[in-house]
Amino acid sequence: SRELKKVQRQATKAMAAGEIDKASALYQQILDGVPAGDPRRSDALYLLGMQLLDPASASPNLNQGVSYLEELTASSPAHPRQLEVSIVQALLSQAKQAASRHEACTTELDAARAELESERQAAEASLEEIADESKAADGRVKSLQAQLRKARAELAETQSELEKKEEALEKLKEALVGRAGVSGS
């Protein structure tokens, strides 16, 4: 008991001096040496729990800190710091809920990103197909234009030949009509 009082004084001094790690080790000795229900154990549970929950602590441990505060609430519901413990526990519960919502939102966001990426890839593939089809259509158009030019040239040549033949036919008719008029006279 005398040794525990000494350890408790040292822990209190270390905590007041800001020597958190030293105080934590001393409070851990108190926890190891004091039975449940002893007010010294309750104080040690409170101080260790809060120290382990402090993100600025040299070695924060959320799970262990929560465990100490839960033990304090169960073993000493009338502890003078119980209101603070209840507030911390409520804040931790809200933080867990927020983390859960954040995780769900992150999952949804990742799924939406994956879907958008899939749609982007499909759109790129469609654009490539359209570009390929456009090139093929351009090739067909050029081929048809070449065929059209050739057909026009052939048509012009055929028309020219037809005109020549019509002229020759006219001359032949005139010659025939002139002969027929000469032979009938």
Side-chain angles (χ1 to χ4, degrees):
S1 178
R2 186 176 286 177
E3 182 64 31
L4 279 175
K5 286 182 183 181
K6 180 181 174 187
V7 170
Q8 188 174 15
R9 280 192 308 274
Q10 289 173 340
T12 304
K13 284 181 184 178
M15 188 65 97
E19 298 171 338
I20 304 299
D21 289 336
K22 181 178 179 182
S24 294
L26 293 167
Y27 281 120
Q28 188 62 53
Q29 286 180 19
I30 294 170
L31 283 182
D32 294 341
V34 176
D38 188 306
R40 292 174 296 187
R41 181 175 182 80
S42 297
D43 289 341
L45 287 169
Y46 170 78
L47 291 167
L48 275 172
M50 296 302 274
Q51 187 268 328
L52 290 171
L53 293 175
D54 183 358
S57 169
S59 55
N61 184 330
L62 182 67
N63 292 332
Q64 187 62 50
V66 167
S67 176
Y68 285 148
L69 294 183
E70 286 173 349
E71 183 181 338
L72 172 62
T73 300
S75 65
S76 302
H79 189 273
R81 301 287 189 142
Q82 187 56 43
L83 177 60
E84 291 173 40
V85 170
S86 296
I87 292 169
V88 168
Q89 288 172 325
L91 290 172
L92 286 171
S93 176
Q94 290 175 358
K96 283 181 184 178
Q97 290 172 358
S100 178
R101 286 192 305 271
H102 177 267
E103 187 176 324
C105 289
T106 300
T107 301
E108 287 179 32
L109 181 61
D110 289 344
R113 281 183 181 147
E115 185 177 338
L116 284 174
E117 178 60 20
S118 176
E119 288 176 8
R120 184 192 64 76
Q121 289 174 353
E124 281 182 1
S126 292
L127 286 174
E128 288 176 11
E129 267 183 44
I130 290 169
D132 291 345
E133 289 175 8
S134 178
K135 286 178 186 176
D138 284 346
R140 287 192 300 272
V141 166
K142 287 179 182 177
S143 173
L144 289 172
Q145 286 173 337
Q147 289 176 4
L148 181 60
R149 280 192 299 275
K150 183 178 176 184
R152 283 183 178 158
E154 289 175 0
L155 178 61
E157 189 179 314
T158 303
Q159 282 179 335
S160 175
E161 286 179 22
L162 181 61
E163 287 174 3
K164 287 179 186 176
K165 288 182 181 179
E166 282 180 350
E167 284 178 19
L169 184 59
E170 272 305 312
K171 287 182 184 177
L172 185 60
K173 276 185 187 176
E174 286 175 10
L176 286 175
V177 170
R179 271 194 189 168
V182 172
S183 40
S185 349

